[in-house]
Amino acid sequence: MKVSKVAQSVEASVTMAVTARAKELKVQGVDVVSFGAGEPDFDTPEFIKQAAKQALDQGATKYSPAAGNMQLRQEISRKLKEENGLEYKPSQIAVTCGAKHAVYEAIHAVVDPGDEVLIPAPFWVSYPEMVNLVGGIPKTIPTGAETDYKLTPELLRGAITARSCLLILNYPNNPGGFCYSPDELAALGEVIAETDLAVISDEIYEKLIYGDMVFRSFAAVCPDLYERVITINGLSKAYSMTGWRVGYTAAPDDVAQAISRMQSHMTSGPATFCQLASIEALAKGQAEIEKMHAEFSKRAEHIYKRLNALDGVMCPRPTGAFYAFPNVASHYGRLKVAGSVAFCQRLLEEARVACVPGVGFGCDENIRMSFATSMEQIDKGIDRLAEFLNTAG
Ligand SMILES: Cc1ncc(COP(=O)(O)O)c(C=O)c1O
């Protein structure tokens, strides 16, 4: 059968090969330490599960409105106002099948074929592919350790062309583990204000920030840009609800309506009982968020210190999300590996440690190490990494 050109152009994830091999080894009974997780290692809090069970018992088994349950949209509107200082009416909010589809619909709503989309590297693997799917042109903007892997006003200014229509910001960042401060966001906002760029601000890791870092929503820091910003968020990471598939977009009226229209033909609203449980999560989840946050915060500091104590490894301090993103490239020559994929393959085969190659995120000198795993596993894995770096030739 003919496969469409667009479908053919979608790249298989290079990161998946290492993850699949790690799983295979685990099934064979090999003791692999995995730093691959893209989801919290905690269970969904009990009161949220209870709310879903109750919703099912009360018959919440039918379609919800295409853009989501109205009570949930009201709760999201309250959350955005009280926690983020953002005014979005429920009609400006669409509840989506995970934040992933929220990002896809947001891109679809504003990008025409041939439009250029600016994506600072490191980036979440799905952004460029989503842009490709709608016929846009992803244009990645390289960054480096000098800026803690963050986009700066200068880098942004240098990347904008007449065809640029959208910038995708993600902070706290997957895989970079950094967060933009309000001042850094304001400085980027000044450059954006000189242009017609729209902005997608993917704030899915908002609740996971560490040390002195302060999280502020982009649209709240740059209110003059409000009409050009689509805010993305969801329940997956903050409430450990990755399998429930509840995310959302908050956008100016015209874009919000476009997203709702598209969603009515694509997925309709997410599972009704998941949406009802999400109302409970947003309304009463603060204590649970704090418990998980306290644990992640300890791990962030620990993994940072341990990684930087290794010879030839440079890791920026994780100030958000649950990822460390060390640069290990000083070892590539000695290990005779061409880049992060071969490095991760050898690390897995020889030291039984699974990490995600940075090349899929636009940074081939780095590897992504998720600390959504216990302290014991973190220590065991870093001991093995140290041994590998010291002895492998
Ligand atoms: C930056 C970023 N945005 C969006 C998502 C998607 O989240 P969800 O599981 O809600 O689809 C992820 C998940 O890994 C992510 O890392």
Side-chain angles (χ1 to χ4, degrees):
M1 191 189 291
K2 177 173 87 71
V3 175
S4 73
K5 291 194 183 69
V6 167
Q8 282 185 47
S9 78
V10 176
E11 300 250 349
S13 166
V14 284
T15 61
M16 290 313 286
V18 180
T19 316
R21 176 71 182 137
K23 277 197 184 132
E24 203 177 282
L25 288 171
K26 277 188 181 168
V27 169
Q28 290 166 15
V30 179
D31 170 30
V32 173
V33 177
S34 180
F35 290 103
E39 57 188 349
D41 53 321
F42 305 102
D43 196 3
T44 302
E46 189 54 33
F47 79 95
I48 303 175
K49 291 197 217 168
Q50 286 304 332
K53 288 179 195 166
Q54 204 180 345
L56 281 171
D57 288 343
Q58 290 173 355
T61 57
K62 299 290 186 337
Y63 290 132
S64 81
N69 172 285
M70 188 37 90
Q71 207 190 330
L72 175 56
R73 289 156 79 192
Q74 281 162 352
E75 184 58 28
I76 294 168
S77 166
R78 178 207 61 76
K79 181 259 180 227
L80 289 171
K81 187 172 165 58
E82 288 175 13
E83 296 180 15
N84 304 83
L86 292 173
E87 294 278 353
Y88 287 108
K89 300 178 296 249
S91 60
Q92 292 178 275
I93 292 161
V95 184
T96 56
C97 295
K100 183 174 266 184
H101 206 242
V103 175
Y104 179 68
E105 288 181 311
I107 292 172
H108 219 338
V110 298
V111 175
D112 279 315
D115 284 347
E116 199 173 77
V117 178
L118 303 175
I119 307 175
F123 47 78
W124 184 42
V125 279
S126 296
Y127 297 146
E129 294 306 337
M130 289 177 177
V131 171
N132 280 330
L133 279 171
V134 304
I137 301 165
K139 181 171 176 189
T140 59
I141 311 176
T143 67
E146 343 53 86
T147 67
D148 274 343
Y149 298 92
K150 296 185 201 183
L151 181 66
T152 60
E154 297 69 35
L155 289 170
L156 175 58
R157 200 172 264 120
I160 295 170
T161 72
R163 287 159 73 189
S164 310
C165 84
L166 172 69
L167 168 70
I168 304 183
L169 281 180
N170 163 228
Y171 67 96
N173 185 265
N174 174 9
F178 61 77
C179 185
Y180 289 103
S181 70
D183 284 349
E184 289 166 335
L185 294 173
L188 293 173
E190 279 175 27
V191 178
I192 295 162
E194 296 162 10
T195 70
D196 293 328
L197 279 182
V199 177
I200 287 179
S201 184
D202 180 347
E203 304 179 0
I204 185 84
Y205 292 96
E206 139 192 57
K207 299 294 181 192
L208 299 172
I209 51 160
Y210 313 116
D212 298 336
M213 186 49 75
V214 174
F215 174 86
R216 293 278 314 276
S217 284
F218 183 73
V221 176
C222 304
D224 294 350
L225 298 174
Y226 175 88
E227 286 297 330
R228 288 201 247 155
V229 179
I230 306 174
T231 302
I232 306 286
N233 210 323
L235 285 281
S236 296
K237 315 285 176 172
Y239 301 91
S240 201
M241 290 173 66
T242 47
W244 297 60
R245 313 310 301 132
V246 182
Y248 55 89
T249 58
D253 282 308
D254 46 355
V255 174
Q257 281 159 28
I259 290 174
S260 300
R261 283 197 305 273
M262 287 191 295
Q263 182 151 296
S264 73
H265 297 293
M266 290 202 221
T267 58
S268 298
T272 303
F273 58 94
C274 293
Q275 292 191 60
L276 294 179
S278 298
I279 299 171
E280 290 293 298
L282 287 172
K284 302 185 191 144
Q286 197 51 35
E288 294 292 338
I289 288 182
E290 278 162 24
K291 263 194 254 165
M292 294 189 245
H293 174 265
E295 190 54 39
F296 278 133
S297 190
K298 277 189 250 158
R299 295 176 190 172
E301 198 53 23
H302 186 67
I303 198 167
Y304 166 70
K305 288 200 177 121
R306 286 228 49 198
L307 283 171
N308 281 305
L310 302 180
D311 251 0
V313 175
M314 282 179 303
C315 183
R317 184 186 289 272
T319 53
F322 38 69
Y323 306 108
F325 199 52
N327 181 319
V328 293
S330 70
H331 291 276
Y332 290 175
R334 190 179 44 81
L335 294 170
K336 298 189 185 64
V337 295
S340 57
V341 172
F343 179 89
C344 287
Q345 277 164 348
R346 281 199 61 185
L347 183 63
L348 179 59
E349 296 302 332
E350 294 167 39
R352 306 303 190 214
V353 175
C355 296
V356 184
V359 68
F361 309 109
C363 296
D364 202 20
E365 296 195 342
N366 301 64
I367 58 174
R368 190 188 77 175
M369 299 177 72
S370 160
F371 48 87
T373 186
S374 69
M375 277 296 200
E376 293 70 38
Q377 286 292 300
I378 292 173
D379 275 330
K380 187 167 158 183
I382 295 186
D383 288 345
R384 289 184 186 183
L385 172 63
E387 170 84 9
F388 173 74
L389 295 177
N390 288 335
T391 57

